[in-house]
Amino acid sequence: MHGRRAPGHAHPPAGRSARAVSTPFDFVVIGGGPAGLAAAVQARQLGLTVTLIDEQPEPGGQIYRAVERAEAEGRAAALGEEYRHGLALARAFRDCGATYLASHQAWQVERDGRVFATDGTASRLIEGHRVLVAVGAIERPVPIPGWTLPGVMTVGAAQILHKSIGLLPDAGVWIAGSGPLTLHFAAEIVAAGGRVAGILDTARASIPGTALAHLGGVLRGWRYLAKGLGYLAQLRMADIRRVTGVEAVEAAGDSRLERVRWRVGSQWNEAPASGLLLHEGVIPNTQVTLALGCAHDWDPVQQCFRPRADAFGATDVEAIIVAGDCGGIGGARVAECRGRLAALGAAAALGRITPEDRDRRAEPVRRELEGHDAIRGFLDALYSPAPELLAPSDDVVACRCEGVTAGRIREAVSLGCLGPNQVKSFTRCGMGPCQGRMCGPTVTGVIAAALGVLPQEVGTFRIRPPLKPLRLGELAALADEERAA
Amino acid sequence: MREADAIVVGGGLHGCSAALQLALRGRRVIVLERRHVGRHASGINAGGVRRLGRDLAEVPLSVQGMPYWHRIRELVGDDCGFTACGHVKVAESAQELETLEKRARTVRGLGFDHEEVIDAAEVRRLVPALAPHCVGAMVVRDDGAADPFRTTLAFGTRAREAGAAIEEGEAVVGIERQAGSWLVIGTRGRYRAPVVVNAAGAWAGRLAALVGDVFPMRTRASMMIVTERMPPFVLPVIGAVGRALSFKQSPSGTVIIGGGQQGRADLDQEQGWVDVTNLAKSAGAAAALFPRMRRARIVRSWCGIEAEMPDRLPVIDFSPGAPGFIHVFGFSGHGFQLGPICGVAVADLATRGTTDLPIASFAARRFAVAEAA
């Protein structure tokens, strides 16, 4: 294990590759969404040296994807006011003086603050005294019967196609699921002149008591509710069919999607479909923090794992900080606040500001955070995923990379596999290119249900490098550099 | 308190193999495994079943161990994913080829003829995808490869069927000598037997220390890379004279690249950490021999941790000081092929006090002697 070097110590230990001879940065940010951008800007304001690594060619992350380009091409207005908020953030970042490694994939982060990233050709090493992991959320896997058929994709994937290349669904496409994004995306399509066949809303038909308990939060978060009602009005005006109270959805077809089936109460219905877009909310992208060995806790409300972190995002690994949705789902505005707090925490930890100064500067951010956070409890309760999504029936594919069903996982459990990693060895579930991103939550859910214990006790897959599939030549380039040095 | 004829500590391949052979001889045997069978190096190694290029001291045991693999289904009721796909060690220069020829002569001189040196044309025929600069190779045509986790599991399952008890989730915290027998204290129970087998892999040194045996050893964390599935393009397992490389394509199409580049081991946390700077050397070696691999996508890398002795040979012997205490560890990165036969050797030691198998080079005392000299 390489020891951590004190801030300001510029001499790398022997054996590092040529590129590593450069001075480490105070603050390395992974992810160019609202958390990462806000953190970079804040850190620069505090005088820290900053590098931001992001897989996309432009700042914005998923939520503000391609916001600069959309603005330049006149498409941003159709994408809504909230989306355009990202433009100001992107511009502030462009002007803040941080080094910006766009179109770079961080594929390995080490506990001592070293980050390996590739531009698709060769890998390089970037060192940070503090590393902010701000890699956002992933869509919760929606393992329903037929979800691996061609023609079925997630709402998030469809939204990427729309935001980045302007692709719109046609009138044969159904949207199924719950969560703010389904309505938002449907409204976005309609506003852009597209169509969908209809929306199958799987949110709980009656607002559960747990959601009602959060009504105080709803009132404080009225801006968000107004947004949701606005989407519904837009969809009604466009005469988009919306089926509520949907309890089960299935995709059917021989070699590709042909029909979508759904159940309301005991009644099954069916309609032809050229596409099916699924979405059941988002969960933190914990690949990086899991690979780092940070402690994680099961969040029983959001039904997901999240890294254990303090108010400034510091994890139990000294050099590693988290902010934004990868630390717990809160949405774009919350992420932005948490990014600023993370930068303040890092500056204090590196001795650039005093703890008192940190707390003074953090105070207004915290107040803003409370306002944005107010509705979260309500949304979480309303959009809480159905139990069969976390632990689907035996014939449903859990791991699409290796074609492993939920039934195979249960069989492994009955043979004595008590955790995800043992199940992986038994079934190959999670051994494919996605490294268990898609099946990890399902595997944990199925094992927990089978054993009758909480997911916290079951744990998660161990995540091994690389964080994203990397070409062998890109990795080999690291050694080439070392030889040349 | 549970009584047995033998207690095996460690549910890796060597522990399960020893338990199987003891159970087949009608002995009551209990395996104590801290996590689960095949959790560490046994379950996640490269799966090479190789005689080619072994240390001369290991050649006799390795050669005698090979028939177990060719009849592995008879032994454990599963084929363990074993295929006799052959092993090829590539020479990239005339000088390297000469090294191989010299080695083959030496091995023939010891009375073994499994290693064969071939020319460039034959290498091309065996491995058409190999980079054109390779000038020849050494091959062992009926060496092979197996699925390591499946193999270890099969040995464990068969051992259970034969009557062995395998206690998973049971860690050994103490060992005491009591009335001519060993009392093994676990976190969940206590066990007594006249014979204890130390098959604790990377942790074998700590177990040995409990009975007063101190070995000069360190921990290896050999790293491996697995790629996405690719169309079949290479059948044998490939190594190289001048590179640390082990390269093979699995039946599923994924390519597994190893060769001994080291990550970092953490015995206390029971895990290994990949060192990507070292890993890059493995990637470079693979790409040098198979240029098409440059574009292959890496899905995952990992390392398995195990013990390494100063001479890179295992210890297969009674403890010098602790009666009835048998060591089988320290395979130093190449113990997988020896798994089946070492079970026999250990069972011989445990039941007869001696064995006819060629294990003299693996004596426990060799380190003590070296230190005294």
Side-chain angles (χ1 to χ4, degrees), chain A residues 1-2 15-17 107-108 110-111 114 116 291-293 401-402 416 421-422 424-426 428 430-435 462 464-466 468-480 482-483, chain B residues 36-39 43-44 149 153 168 225-229 247 252 254 257 264 271-287 290 293-303:
Chain A
M1 190 86 208
H2 294 271
R16 295 281 176 85
S17 78
W107 56 267
Q108 163 79 339
E110 307 248 336
R111 292 163 69 92
R114 290 182 299 153
F116 293 84
L292 278 159
C401 300
E402 297 288 334
N421 297 295
Q422 218 180 338
K424 177 158 98 175
S425 299
F426 259 71
R428 294 192 60 82
M431 281 196 182
C434 90
Q435 278 248 35
R462 274 186 294 274
R464 302 302 195 197
K468 290 275 179 74
L470 176 77
R471 293 196 189 279
L472 202 77
E474 296 172 68
L475 174 59
L478 271 184
D480 294 345
E482 196 163 68
R483 263 202 300 283
Chain B
H36 59 257
V37 167
R39 163 67 185 89
I44 56 175
F149 186 76
L153 211 61
E168 295 178 289
I225 293 171
V226 63
T227 71
E228 64 191 338
R229 292 170 195 231
F247 183 100
S252 71
T254 60
I257 301 165
R264 301 185 294 272
Q271 66 175 331
W273 294 90
V274 168
D275 180 316
V276 296
T277 318
N278 279 343
L279 196 68
K281 296 174 192 164
S282 290
F290 295 96
M293 290 302 297
R294 285 208 163 264
R295 298 204 49 75
R297 291 195 310 166
I298 298 167
V299 168
R300 197 169 61 254
S301 63
W302 70 93
C303 54

Side-chain angles (χ1 to χ4, degrees), chain B residues 137-160:
Chain B
M138 173 178 280
V139 299
V140 177
R141 294 183 192 264
D142 60 349
D143 273 358
D147 178 333
F149 186 76
R150 186 170 156 188
T151 301
T152 308
L153 211 61
F155 273 82
T157 303
R158 186 74 191 91
R160 280 183 163 128

Side-chain angles (χ1 to χ4, degrees), chain A residues 237-258:
Chain A
M237 274 171 58
D239 207 21
I240 300 287
R241 182 176 175 194
R242 178 161 166 264
V243 183
T244 56
V246 173
E247 291 168 43
V249 179
E250 293 182 9
D254 284 335
S255 57
R256 61 156 289 125
L257 175 74
E258 290 162 15

Side-chain angles (χ1 to χ4, degrees), chain A residues 298 305 418-420 444 447-448 451-460:
Chain A
W298 176 254
F305 280 98
L418 304 182
T444 297
I447 298 173
L451 297 175
V453 300
L454 289 173
Q456 177 84 45
E457 291 175 54
V458 173
T460 64

